[in-house]
């Protein structure tokens, strides 16, 4: 069981093509993750931000906690005031709105 001179010699140094071909599977995995995970997530995030920006008075919204109510006061960039029952109003952070169920017609503020 002695080592022969042929096995005792080390492997040849990797050439440039071997180095590049070893990174091809990693590059393919990154591309697959980008197209299947990151891009759809970015699209969903953009559509959610657009939905939050479009929330106005009179819309029926659902919060992340599952509370359904009607928006009674909506100021751009601030918290929303949501009526969840007759005479019961709560403040909700705009980013915690998960869905807008029904969109209403614009309400005339001149009373």
């Amino acid at each position: 069981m002695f080592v022969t001179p042929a096995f005792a010699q080390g492997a040849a140094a990797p050439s440039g093509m071997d180095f590049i071909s070893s990174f091809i599977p990693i590059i393919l995995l990154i591309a697959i993750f980008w197209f299947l995970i990151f891009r759809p997530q970015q699209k969903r995030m953009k559509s959610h931000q657009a939905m939050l920006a479009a929330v106005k008075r009179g819309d029926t919204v659902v919060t992340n906690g599952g509370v359904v109510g009607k928006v009674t006061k909506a100021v751009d960039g601030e918290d929303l005031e949501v009526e969840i029952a007759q005479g019961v109003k709560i403040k909700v952070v705009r980013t915690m709105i998960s869905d807008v169920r029904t969109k209403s017609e614009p309400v005339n503020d001149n009373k």
Side-chain angles (χ1 to χ4, degrees), residues 56-111:
K56 59 185 178 294
R57 192 171 135 199
D59 290 347
T60 301
V61 295
V62 179
T63 66
N64 285 342
V67 177
V68 179
K70 191 173 222 175
V71 177
T72 58
K73 181 180 175 186
V75 180
D76 289 340
E78 291 188 18
D79 298 341
L80 301 172
E81 188 173 277
V82 179
E83 184 175 25
I84 58 174
Q86 187 69 31
V88 179
K89 295 179 182 179
I90 60 173
K91 272 193 171 183
V92 178
V93 178
R94 189 178 288 266
T95 56
M96 296 307 286
I97 300 295
S98 64
D99 191 21
V100 177
R101 288 275 174 96
T102 56
K103 291 216 165 253
S104 64
E105 294 300 317
V107 178
N108 189 1
D109 287 335
N110 299 331
K111 289 186 179 182

Side-chain angles (χ1 to χ4, degrees), residues 13-72:
S15 65
M17 285 302 278
D18 290 337
F19 184 72
I20 292 172
S21 66
S22 66
F23 281 110
I24 289 177
I26 295 171
I27 293 170
L28 287 175
L29 283 174
I30 291 171
I32 289 170
F33 274 108
W34 176 259
F35 285 108
L36 294 179
I37 296 174
F38 296 127
R39 278 191 65 211
Q41 177 64 25
Q42 288 174 347
K43 286 182 181 181
R44 276 192 300 270
M45 198 165 39
K46 283 182 183 179
S47 67
H48 188 256
Q49 291 294 328
M51 178 195 65
L52 291 179
V55 171
K56 59 185 178 294
R57 192 171 135 199
D59 290 347
T60 301
V61 295
V62 179
T63 66
N64 285 342
V67 177
V68 179
K70 191 173 222 175
V71 177
T72 58

